[in-house]
């Protein structure tokens, strides 16, 4: 089995898992982390078939978590070569977010012409907007402020701190064919066109209550699969588990687009593993345009 060696970097997405408040890992004590970038120390048959080599930089999503470790052992079927010229700390911030943005857009109807992206200046939202625009979709997005990354994009921004922001979307942008949402907001249905869908990528919950919020939200989404407001659940880890080959092809292509400058992600904020507490606070703050990344010992 391949092991990822130095440098070992992992993206960080908050403290729910550490607190035993993550639905798929409901107890404390497991190793957190979905994103990993490292250098190959050994190869299995899958890695060899892909043409990977010892000493090569690779990236991966770890579907069941476990990236925040000194040595990560993964099947070669999950590994993707990091393009030359792509900084390792930036690459470590990307795998799960790239795949989530891609999956969320694929959950829209094929004839969708417009989409509202919640948190469009965040890690997933910014990537979703940049993937949607060249696909011909009109894009609106919620944010508290403009960032340098969002400024050049043709995105209609609405401040979610305005209590009437939903009405503003309908008045200024019109009904949307899709919403990519990470909040679980139940009022989003009134923004949809007749062919509209809400794609849920996560559900917001109060600290200590995230498991319940995710469970209730997921059940509600499944119940609304066929009845208005129609919803879809974009469960990225489950999607990756189901088809490693498709995942590798998509992640490889998306990383290449980042390396070529076609996609501009949020900036990585690098933290040493010994400063894990500070990194967690940075991840919890979720500042627009930034993502916390851990450097493993």
């Amino acid at each position: 089995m391949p092991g990822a060696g130095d440098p070992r970097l992992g993206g960080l997405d908050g403290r729910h898992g550490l607190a035993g408040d993550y639905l798929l890992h409901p107890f404390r004590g497991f190793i957190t982390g979905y994103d990993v970038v490292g250098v190959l120390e050994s190869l299995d048959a899958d890695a060899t078939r892909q043409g990977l080599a010892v000493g090569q930089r690779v990236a991966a999503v770890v579907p069941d978590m476990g990236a925040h470790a000194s040595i990560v052992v993964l099947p070669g079927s999950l590994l993707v070569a990091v393009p030359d010229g792509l900084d390792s700390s930036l690459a470590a911030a990307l795998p799960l977010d790239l795949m989530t943005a891609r999956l969320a857009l694929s959950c829209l109807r094929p004839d969708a012409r417009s989409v509202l992206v919640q948190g469009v200046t965040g890690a997933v939202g910014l990537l979703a907007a940049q993937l949607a625009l060249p696909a011909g979709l009109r894009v609106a997005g919620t944010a508290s402020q403009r960032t340098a990354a969002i400024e050049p994009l043709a995105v209609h921004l609405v401040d979610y701190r305005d209590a009437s922001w939903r009405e503003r979307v309908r008045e200024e942008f019109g009904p949307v064919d899709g919403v990519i949402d990470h909040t679980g907001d139940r009022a989003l249905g009134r923004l949809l066109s007749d062919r509209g869908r809400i794609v849920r990528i996560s559900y917001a919950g109060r600290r200590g209550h995230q498991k319940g919020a995710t469970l209730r939200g997921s059940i509600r989404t499944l119940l609304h699969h066929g009845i208005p407001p129609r919803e879809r659940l974009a469960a990225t880890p489950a999607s990756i588990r189901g088809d490693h080959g498709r995942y590798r092809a998509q992640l490889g292509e998306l990383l290449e687009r980042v390396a070529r400058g076609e996609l501009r992600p949020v900036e990585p904020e690098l933290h040493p593993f010994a400063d894990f507490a500070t990194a967690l606070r940075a991840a919890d703050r979720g500042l627009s345009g930034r993502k916390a990344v851990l450097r493993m010992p």
Side-chain angles (χ1 to χ4, degrees):
M1 302 282 279
D6 203 19
R8 297 173 295 277
L9 299 164
L12 191 60
D13 293 297
R15 68 178 67 237
H16 292 306
L18 286 176
D21 201 21
Y22 181 63
L23 185 62
L24 299 182
H25 284 283
F27 305 106
R28 300 171 187 263
F30 70 96
I31 299 173
T32 56
Y34 280 115
D35 297 312
V36 65
V37 164
V39 173
L40 281 176
E41 293 184 347
S42 61
L43 306 176
D44 67 0
D46 283 325
T48 301
R49 278 193 295 270
Q50 293 178 59
L52 298 175
V54 171
Q56 186 172 5
R57 285 190 308 155
V58 291
V61 177
V62 186
D64 296 307
M65 290 197 173
H68 297 157
S70 298
I71 296 291
V72 179
V73 180
L74 293 171
S77 59
L78 287 173
L79 302 179
V80 175
V82 176
D84 293 339
L86 182 58
D87 180 75
S88 291
S89 60
L90 180 56
L94 288 172
L96 183 68
D97 293 339
L98 283 169
M99 295 302 297
T100 300
R102 177 73 170 262
L103 177 62
L105 288 169
S106 74
C107 290
L108 301 178
R109 280 179 46 142
D111 58 350
R113 298 173 185 171
S114 61
V115 63
L116 169 69
V117 180
Q118 290 266 62
V120 74
T121 57
V124 175
L126 182 61
L127 292 167
Q130 291 176 85
L131 292 172
L133 288 166
L137 291 169
R138 296 171 56 239
V139 178
T142 62
S144 61
Q145 61 182 351
R146 287 187 174 272
T147 62
I150 203 72
E151 193 65 42
L153 303 179
V155 174
H156 183 89
L157 282 183
V158 177
D159 190 338
Y160 61 77
R161 296 172 299 182
D162 182 345
S164 62
W165 72 263
R166 297 174 191 81
E167 289 72 22
R168 288 186 55 201
V169 170
R170 284 194 68 92
E171 292 170 4
E172 299 171 7
F173 190 77
V176 295
D177 297 335
V179 178
I180 297 175
D181 176 62
H182 64 282
T183 69
D185 183 353
R186 299 180 68 178
L188 294 173
R190 63 178 188 250
L191 301 181
L192 296 176
S193 67
D194 291 340
R195 60 183 167 211
R197 289 178 180 171
I198 302 170
V199 179
R200 307 285 191 184
I201 60 174
S202 64
Y203 303 88
R206 291 180 294 115
R207 184 168 296 175
H209 299 271
Q210 184 61 49
K211 284 185 294 191
T214 301
L215 180 60
R216 290 189 298 273
S218 299
I219 292 171
R220 192 163 54 242
T221 292
L222 293 174
L223 290 174
H224 278 274
H225 192 273
I227 60 173
R230 290 177 173 82
E231 299 190 13
R232 296 292 185 272
L233 178 59
T236 307
S239 173
I240 291 170
R241 287 189 212 101
D243 192 334
H244 286 192
R246 180 181 61 188
Y247 144 79
R248 284 199 316 274
Q250 291 179 350
L251 181 56
E253 180 250 332
L254 291 168
L255 288 173
E256 289 285 357
R257 291 179 66 177
V258 175
R260 293 195 299 266
E262 296 172 13
L263 296 174
R264 185 178 178 184
V266 297
E267 290 294 323
E269 185 177 303
L270 198 58
H271 298 267
F273 189 76
D275 204 11
F276 192 48
T278 301
L280 273 177
R281 288 194 292 271
D284 279 345
R285 287 198 307 272
L287 296 178
S288 295
R290 309 287 291 178
K291 178 158 182 178
V293 174
L294 283 175
R295 180 180 290 277
M296 305 306 159

